[in-house]
């Protein structure tokens, strides 16, 4: 398993359902990973092995994994299959999967177990809706999501948490820096077990705000959607 403590920050590009072969070839030619940081590109799974890079700080990550290990589940990819292809990271529980594919904390927990058993680091995504934020339920929601999604054997070396407020995704809106720091500090204090976890922020991160967000004490990197599709912009974010 990759040693997360070797990196000061972790930056993840989540391409979602975007990209094609020309785009990828150009992207990987132009990508300039920062040697102090861990850079992970979560491309659509069919392109996972297009990243031909021998350096030890840039990785391909999957955007999802099957709940099942094998069997009659047409269209699925298991954690073992990802591990066979040398994939070291996988997003789980992204809000788009919770919303469109009815994922819940229980399935996310099981997927994370399957990943850890196959030496793949799950990046467990959590976040509140705008309504929940307005009702001041953010902390309660996050605590429930994190406690229910994290496998019993998860620890700071085999699991990453990504805080993505749902209302900030693709909206151009972000919480204030104070709010981000408060939430990340809260997450690390939910239980002593989470103290040393890497906690990433996601939601409308771009080159113009990534520096100040990532400089917050309890922010250990960023999970980037739209802005990661422009390699020049993503290069600025990871620099
Ligand atoms: P945006 O950066 O486009 O807001 O998306 C965030 C996200 O969903 C990353 O997983």
């Amino acid at each position: 398993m990759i040693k997360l403590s070797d990196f000061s920050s972790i930056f993840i590009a989540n391409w979602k359902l975007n990209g094609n072969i020309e785009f990828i070839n150009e992207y990987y030619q132009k990508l300039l990973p920062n040697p102090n940081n861990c850079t992970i590109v979560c491309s659509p799974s069919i392109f996972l092995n297009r990243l031909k890079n021998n350096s030890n700080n840039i990785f391909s990550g999957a955007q999802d994994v099957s709940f099942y290990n094998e069997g009659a589940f047409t269209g699925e990819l298991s954690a073992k299959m990802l591990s066979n292809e040398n994939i070291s990271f996988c997003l789980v529980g992204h809000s788009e999967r919770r919303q469109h594919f009815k994922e819940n904390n229980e399935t996310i927990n099981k997927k994370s177990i399957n990943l850890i058993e196959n030496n793949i680091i799950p990046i467990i995504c959590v976040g509140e809706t705008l309504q929940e934020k307005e009702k001041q339920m953010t902390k309660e929601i996050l605590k429930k999501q994190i406690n229910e999604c994290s496998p019993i054997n998860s620890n700071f070396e085999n699991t990453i948490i990504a805080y993505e407020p749902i209302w900030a995704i693709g909206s151009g809106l972000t919480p204030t820096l104070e709010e981000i720091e408060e939430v990340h500090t809260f997450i690390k204090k939910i239980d002593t077990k989470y103290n040393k976890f890497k906690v990433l922020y996601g939601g409308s991160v771009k080159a113009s705000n990534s520096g100040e967000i990532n400089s917050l004490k309890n922010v250990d990197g960023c999970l980037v959607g739209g802005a990661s599709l422009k390699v020049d912009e993503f290069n600025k974010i990871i620099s």
Side-chain angles (χ1 to χ4, degrees):
M1 199 172 258
I2 307 289
K3 204 155 168 256
L4 291 176
S5 50
D6 284 351
F7 303 108
S8 53
S9 296
I10 297 173
F11 290 97
I12 306 180
N14 178 11
W15 289 359
K16 309 188 181 185
L17 186 56
N18 294 292
N20 55 50
I21 206 65
E22 292 80 24
F23 169 86
I24 287 168
N25 288 339
E26 187 184 341
Y27 198 97
Y28 287 147
Q29 261 171 23
K30 291 190 175 168
L31 185 64
L32 297 169
N34 176 334
N36 300 321
N37 296 332
C38 173
T39 301
I40 304 163
V41 179
C42 294
S43 65
S45 36
I46 194 158
F47 298 130
L48 283 172
N49 258 340
R50 292 279 166 175
L51 175 65
K52 305 282 182 231
N53 193 309
N54 296 322
S55 83
N56 59 3
N57 69 339
I58 170 154
F59 305 92
S60 241
Q63 295 179 13
D64 185 36
V65 66
S66 181
F67 178 89
Y68 301 102
N69 285 321
E70 62 181 353
F73 303 105
T74 303
E76 293 287 89
L77 280 180
S78 71
K80 178 123 199 156
M81 291 169 185
L82 292 175
S83 145
N84 287 164
E85 292 293 306
N86 297 318
I87 301 305
S88 311
F89 296 92
C90 182
L91 299 174
V92 274
H94 191 284
S95 62
E96 288 150 14
R97 295 213 56 89
R98 292 179 191 254
Q99 185 190 347
H100 302 302
F101 302 97
K102 305 286 169 258
E103 297 211 350
N104 56 39
N105 295 344
E106 192 187 335
T107 55
I108 294 160
N109 182 301
K110 175 72 167 65
K111 287 180 175 196
S112 302
I113 291 174
N114 293 348
L115 289 166
I116 292 171
E117 277 173 357
N118 283 282
N119 288 323
I120 298 172
I121 296 176
I123 300 140
I124 299 177
C125 303
V126 295
E128 82 285 2
T129 63
L130 186 56
Q131 270 176 336
E132 288 162 347
K133 177 181 164 61
E134 284 169 353
K135 287 192 197 151
Q136 310 204 331
M137 290 168 63
T138 300
K139 290 181 180 169
E140 182 188 328
I141 295 290
L142 294 178
K143 184 172 179 180
K144 183 169 165 59
Q145 287 179 339
I146 290 171
N147 280 334
E148 292 183 4
C149 293
S150 310
I152 284 201
N153 63 345
S154 61
N155 61 50
F156 69 97
E157 286 170 319
N158 66 16
T159 302
I160 295 173
I161 292 173
Y163 168 53
E164 295 205 297
I166 297 171
W167 53 272
I169 295 177
S171 64
L173 303 171
T174 56
T176 63
L177 293 175
E178 292 71 27
E179 284 171 327
I180 296 174
E181 179 61 10
E182 187 182 336
V183 169
H184 281 234
T185 307
F186 169 78
I187 290 173
K188 293 190 186 207
K189 286 189 178 155
I190 288 176
D191 185 288
T192 47
K193 132 175 187 174
Y194 302 116
N195 240 233
K196 285 163 72 183
F197 267 58
K198 299 267 190 208
V199 182
L200 315 185
Y201 170 78
S204 295
V205 173
K206 42 192 188 251
S208 59
N209 63 13
S210 60
E212 54 187 9
I213 292 174
N214 194 50
S215 66
L216 295 169
K217 183 164 170 279
N218 284 311
V219 173
D220 303 298
C222 296
L223 173 52
V224 189
S228 75
L229 291 170
K230 297 174 212 128
V231 67
D232 295 337
E233 174 104 4
F234 192 58
N235 277 338
K236 286 186 196 149
I237 293 172
I238 63 183
S239 71

